[in-house]
Amino acid sequence: MKVGFLSIDVKTVNEREARIAMFDNGHTADMFLTVTPENVDWAVTQMSAVCDLVVIEGNLAALYSAQEGKFPSSRDNFELDGKLYVVIEKVTDEYLWNTLVPMLAAKNKKSRFKSIVFKTYGKTEAELRAMLKDFIKANKKIKMGFFPEDDECEIHARYPMTMELSAIPDISMQINKIIYSCIYTYDRMSIAEVVAKMLTENGLKLKVAESFTGGAIARALTAVPGASAFFTEGLVTYSVGSKAKRLHVPMNVIAEHGAVSSDTVFGMAAGLLGSGDCDIAIATTGNAGPTTDGNGNVGLCYIAIGDAREVHIVKYTFGGDREQNIKSGVKKALFLLYEYLACYEAAQGDGDGE
C-alpha cells in the first residue's frame, strides 16, 4: 500500500519514522506534503492520485472546510472513492506504531512481515547498498530498507512471516558477516543508549569535558534513564581560562598550540582522569562555526578518549553548519566510546579465557 502524509499548517509526523513503520509492515511512505489552508483541496487531490492511503494531520477545521462536507468529521478513518483516509490532529511516533500500523494490519491480514534490524555507523547508504548488493540479488524474498540519519544508517531486512523460521538466523548471519565492521547494535537503540548499557554492565564511570560540543555529549548520555550508574561529571570548559582553571591544562600549552589542538584536548582529558574518580574520559575542542575566530577551519574538531593508561586523540573536519557540526561531533564521540568499550569487553573476555 502506498501511504501519503499531509500536514496542514503544522507538521508533526517524523518522515524517517513513518518510512520505517510503513516499510516494516509491507507498505511504502510515498509522499509528504505540508500546506497552508488555501492549498488543502489541491493537496488532497494530488495525494489521492498517487496514494492508496492518505493520513491527514494538523488544521482539521481547514480540511473539513475545504472538502465541503465530503469528509465525515465524526470519523477518524474512512474510505472515499476507493481511497482510504485517516484524519488525526497529530501523527506522533506512538500513533504510527500503536494505532496506524495495527489498523493497516487489520485491513491486510494476508500479508504480514517481520524485520531484522542492523544499526550502522560510518558508512553511507550508497556504501552499504554496494556492500550488500550480492546478498540482495541472491535473496529475492528479503526486502532491504535503508534509513540514513547523519552518519548513521538503520538497515531493516524484511521477510514474510510465512518464511521458514529456521531460515531467519542464517539470513541474519549472512548480513552480519558482510557489514559487521560498522554495526553497533541489532535493535532500535540509539548509540547513547548502547554505550550507556555497556558502561553500566561493565561498572565503568565516565567523565566528559566539552568545548566543541558545548555539553551535548553529557546531555545525550544523561537523557538515558539510569545514567547516574555510569556518568560522574560533565564540564563545559568553553573558555581558555576554564580549560586552565578547571582541567589544569597548562597555559603555555594553549598559548603554543592553541585552544583548538590535539595538545589542548589531551590536556582536557588528562585533567578529568587526574581526579581519580572516573575510569574513562572524553574531551572535545574545536570550532563549530559559523566563523573561525582564528581557531582553525570551521568544523575542525579534536576528540580525546581514554583512561589512566592511554588517551587517544582523533581529528575531524565536519562540513555542516554550526548545529550540524555539533551534532556530528557528539555522534563521533559516542561512537569512539562504543569502540573503546567494545575493545574493553573483548579484552575482558580474553582474560576470562586464560
Side-chain angles (χ1 to χ4, degrees):
M1 184 179 290
K2 295 180 179 180
V3 183
F5 292 84
L6 172 59
S7 304
I8 305 172
D9 276 341
V10 179
K11 181 179 179 180
T12 304
V13 63
N14 180 325
E15 288 192 22
R16 183 172 181 271
E17 197 66 20
R19 293 183 191 279
I20 292 172
M22 293 303 99
F23 176 84
D24 277 5
N25 291 278
H27 310 294
T28 58
D30 288 81
M31 286 184 73
F32 293 86
L33 286 177
T34 302
V35 298
T36 55
E38 56 267 27
N39 292 313
V40 168
D41 193 52
W42 169 84
V44 171
T45 300
Q46 294 299 311
M47 298 198 84
S48 299
V50 175
C51 304
D52 305 301
L53 165 65
V54 180
V55 182
I56 306 172
E57 67 167 356
N59 187 344
L60 302 185
L63 169 70
Y64 296 128
S65 175
Q67 292 300 300
E68 298 180 351
K70 284 180 65 179
F71 282 12
S73 58
S74 60
R75 297 171 59 189
D76 59 6
N77 69 87
F78 52 89
E79 187 173 339
L80 183 65
D81 298 329
K83 302 288 184 177
L84 293 172
Y85 296 88
V86 170
V87 180
I88 186 74
E89 190 173 312
K90 293 181 179 180
V91 179
T92 62
D93 291 355
E94 182 180 9
Y95 175 81
L96 278 170
W97 290 100
N98 297 340
T99 302
L100 185 60
V101 164
M103 184 191 79
L104 294 178
K107 291 180 179 295
N108 188 17
K109 294 180 180 180
K110 292 183 179 180
S111 300
R112 298 292 182 89
F113 302 91
K114 283 190 175 181
S115 291
I116 309 168
V117 178
F118 305 85
K119 292 196 77 170
T120 71
Y121 183 88
K123 295 288 186 183
T124 65
E125 177 183 351
E127 289 172 328
L128 291 165
R129 284 185 180 276
M131 292 168 72
L132 289 163
K133 180 179 65 175
D134 291 340
F135 172 86
I136 293 170
K137 187 176 181 180
N139 294 271
K140 300 297 184 183
K141 290 185 178 180
I142 309 299
K143 302 301 180 184
M144 304 295 292
F146 296 80
F147 307 98
E149 184 179 43
D150 302 321
D151 297 319
E152 297 184 59
C153 188
E154 189 169 322
I155 301 174
H156 288 223
R158 189 184 72 204
Y159 60 91
M161 291 181 66
T162 53
M163 180 174 284
E164 289 288 337
L165 289 177
S166 59
I168 309 305
D170 182 59
I171 291 167
S172 182
M173 287 178 64
Q174 287 183 56
I175 298 171
N176 185 76
K177 186 176 180 181
I178 297 167
I179 60 172
Y180 176 77
S181 62
C182 50
I183 296 172
Y184 70 84
T185 190
Y186 299 90
D187 55 32
R188 302 207 65 206
M189 293 171 66
S190 68
I191 185 65
E193 291 172 320
V194 171
V195 296
K197 183 173 183 287
M198 295 171 79
L199 286 164
T200 302
E201 290 178 346
N202 288 286
L204 298 172
K205 299 292 185 179
L206 174 72
K207 274 189 174 186
V208 299
E210 302 180 65
S211 182
F212 182 90
T213 44
I217 296 173
R219 189 159 56 249
L221 290 170
T222 55
V224 180
S228 59
F230 64 85
F231 194 83
T232 301
E233 184 179 26
L235 300 175
V236 180
T237 51
Y238 214 66
S239 69
V240 168
S242 67
K243 292 176 175 65
K245 183 177 180 180
R246 298 284 288 161
L247 298 170
H248 310 294
V249 181
M251 285 299 296
N252 67 303
V253 169
I254 299 175
E256 183 178 351
H257 301 283
V260 179
S261 65
S262 59
D263 297 86
T264 295
V265 81
F266 175 86
M268 292 169 69
L272 293 175
L273 293 164
S275 64
D277 58 352
C278 69
D279 303 294
I280 309 167
I282 296 175
T284 69
T285 190
N287 182 4
T291 59
T292 62
D293 296 327
N295 290 317
N297 297 328
V298 169
L300 177 62
C301 176
Y302 291 90
I303 302 174
I305 181 169
D307 51 36
R309 297 169 301 172
E310 188 174 14
V311 174
H312 297 277
I313 299 162
V314 292
K315 176 184 176 182
Y316 296 101
T317 300
F318 304 116
D321 58 19
R322 180 180 178 82
E323 182 180 353
Q324 187 59 50
N325 288 339
I326 292 171
K327 192 174 182 180
S328 295
V330 173
K331 287 287 182 72
K332 286 288 187 184
L334 292 177
F335 196 72
L336 289 170
L337 176 58
Y338 168 78
E339 291 180 324
Y340 172 95
L341 292 168
C343 289
Y344 175 87
E345 290 182 343
Q348 295 298 107
D350 290 343
D352 292 341
E354 291 178 354

